[in-house]
Amino acid sequence: MPDQSIPQARTAAEVSEPAESAGSHGISRRALLGTAGATGLVLGAAGGAAGYAAAPAPATPLTSVGSDRAMFHGKHQPGITEGLQARGHLVAFDLAAGAGRKEAAALLRRWSTTAERLMAGEAAPHDDTDVARDAGPCSLTLTFGFGHSFFGRTGLDKERPSALDPLPDFSSDHLDKTRSDGDLWVQIGANDALVAFHALRAIQKDAGGAARLRWQMNGFNRTPGATAHPMTARNLMGQLDGTRNPKPADPDFNRRIFVPASGEPAWMANGSYAVVRRIRMLLDDWEKLSVPAQEAVIGRRKSNGAPLSGGDETTPMDLEKTDAKGEYVVPLNAHARITRPDKNGGAAMLRRPFSYHDGFDADGTPDAGLLFVCWQADPLRGFVPVQRKLDRGDALSQFIRHEASGLFAVPGGAAEGEYVGQRLLEA
């Protein structure tokens, strides 16, 4: 769980301006959003240089957090390569009884229109609730995927990818079927909680009579700018979580994370597969361990993420190093040792999780942990082999419990004038 880092991809782009008149405070939403390029960096799905866009200075400038914008249209869907966001919602829908391919296409068209507008900091296309009226884009992303059951319900069984076959059972699974799987999946992330909720509400309303909510989960991360300098995030166990994540600059990043343009099925070109797991952390048991005991479970220092074999967070782990007693300094069952790609046939996945806290049980036990989301070109070569190995002897397994699961095919990004999934639904 903690041994990979999340890259950030930024590109220069101007924030589009919604046509909206001045509100009761005398400052138009158009004027507010006009500062996005002038006061902060602009996010994009593709890697590149950060830049500023010239814009007239309004009376009330947005902060850099509010002005950051991810782009809806692109080679890949947003919400995959962008940096971790402060707030997230994961939500799954099932198509309504009688709804099929036609209704699904209309729904994805509505969702895409809404996503494009909200990610630009504009109001929803209809019945906007004004929840996000005073904010900019806030790095909002919306990402859409299809579950295994979607294809049967839309008569598209022949287009279902083999990589979408159900995940195998794992010994650590205690899955709640009502909070797992689903026909359609939406990932929402933003650096402002109101902006994220606004998007969640808009997507739910857009579903209308075409789809009904199956499950929904809320998550969070550290707010960007809360630390003196950018750093790997910590999870609720206090560990740096994400040190060895693949990075877009890696020469094999696209091959491991995205389906190639020539891949099968054709509609998945430049797409990816998302494995979603609700992993409860047994924090009462974990927090009883001493810091050295926790570090032995993980294989890294809690303070700075350095491997127990020495160095700093980015120092390669020396798996052969022993102590004075001849014992491995990185235990054989340490989580960081077991999850290494070079110990799993090169299996790699891009982890982009959120932490969650859903209150306390009657006995005071916290219902908290990780909304694990990982991305790969093929889950049978990414998530599955690593999880199977973890099942066989990960020291961390006694302190976590997998309570919900889903696997979704996430098609490539929509080109200008397209909606997400159009190449599947209108083939």
Side-chain angles (χ1 to χ4, degrees), residues 81-125:
T81 60
E82 286 84 1
L84 292 177
Q85 294 137 307
R87 189 65 176 174
H89 301 293
L90 306 180
V91 56
F93 294 85
D94 287 333
L95 291 173
R101 182 173 174 178
K102 178 181 177 181
E103 290 76 15
L107 174 57
L108 266 297
R109 190 180 294 109
R110 291 196 299 275
W111 275 352
S112 296
T113 299
T114 294
E116 182 178 8
R117 288 181 61 89
L118 297 188
M119 285 175 56
E122 301 175 14

Side-chain angles (χ1 to χ4, degrees), residues 350-377:
L350 177 66
R351 299 174 62 263
R352 198 173 181 279
F354 294 94
S355 293
Y356 77 87
H357 177 224
D358 289 339
F360 298 88
D361 294 344
D363 62 358
T365 301
D367 182 2
L370 197 69
L371 300 182
F372 175 92
V373 182
C374 73
W375 300 90
Q376 58 261 283

Side-chain angles (χ1 to χ4, degrees), residues 197-221:
F197 175 81
H198 179 243
L200 174 66
R201 186 73 177 115
I203 289 298
Q204 180 204 9
K205 291 167 66 178
D206 276 349
R212 57 181 178 80
L213 186 71
R214 180 179 176 90
W215 55 260
Q216 188 250 319
M217 302 174 189
N218 307 315
F220 58 89
N221 286 302

Side-chain angles (χ1 to χ4, degrees), residues 177-203:
K177 298 298 185 182
T178 65
R179 292 195 293 185
S180 299
D181 304 318
D183 294 344
L184 294 156
W185 175 69
V186 186
Q187 174 191 253
I188 298 168
N191 283 334
D192 179 79
L194 285 176
V195 169
F197 175 81
H198 179 243
L200 174 66
R201 186 73 177 115
I203 289 298

Side-chain angles (χ1 to χ4, degrees), residues 10-210:
R10 292 176 181 266
T11 185
E14 292 189 20
V15 175
S16 61
E17 299 178 347
E20 185 174 9
S21 60
S24 58
H25 298 289
I27 302 174
S28 72
R29 187 165 172 81
R30 174 187 296 272
L32 280 171
L33 292 175
T35 61
T39 60
L41 299 180
V42 184
L43 282 172
Y52 296 85
T60 307
L62 292 170
T63 67
S64 60
V65 171
S67 63
D68 285 347
R69 177 187 174 187
M71 307 306 294
F72 175 73
H73 294 293
K75 183 177 182 180
H76 311 298
Q77 284 198 57
I80 303 176
T81 60
E82 286 84 1
L84 292 177
Q85 294 137 307
R87 189 65 176 174
H89 301 293
L90 306 180
V91 56
F93 294 85
D94 287 333
L95 291 173
R101 182 173 174 178
K102 178 181 177 181
E103 290 76 15
L107 174 57
L108 266 297
R109 190 180 294 109
R110 291 196 299 275
W111 275 352
S112 296
T113 299
T114 294
E116 182 178 8
R117 288 181 61 89
L118 297 188
M119 285 175 56
E122 301 175 14
H126 52 81
D127 299 326
D128 189 80
T129 60
D130 283 342
V131 171
R133 170 181 285 271
D134 310 306
C138 296
S139 298
L140 175 67
T141 60
L142 292 95
T143 319
F144 304 97
F146 305 115
H148 185 276
S149 55
F150 175 83
F151 297 85
R153 295 183 179 180
T154 54
L156 292 166
D157 300 83
K158 293 182 179 180
E159 293 294 330
R160 181 167 52 216
S162 59
L164 204 57
D165 288 347
L167 297 173
D169 294 329
F170 301 105
S171 63
S172 58
D173 286 354
H174 296 75
L175 303 183
D176 179 351
K177 298 298 185 182
T178 65
R179 292 195 293 185
S180 299
D181 304 318
D183 294 344
L184 294 156
W185 175 69
V186 186
Q187 174 191 253
I188 298 168
N191 283 334
D192 179 79
L194 285 176
V195 169
F197 175 81
H198 179 243
L200 174 66
R201 186 73 177 115
I203 289 298
Q204 180 204 9
K205 291 167 66 178
D206 276 349

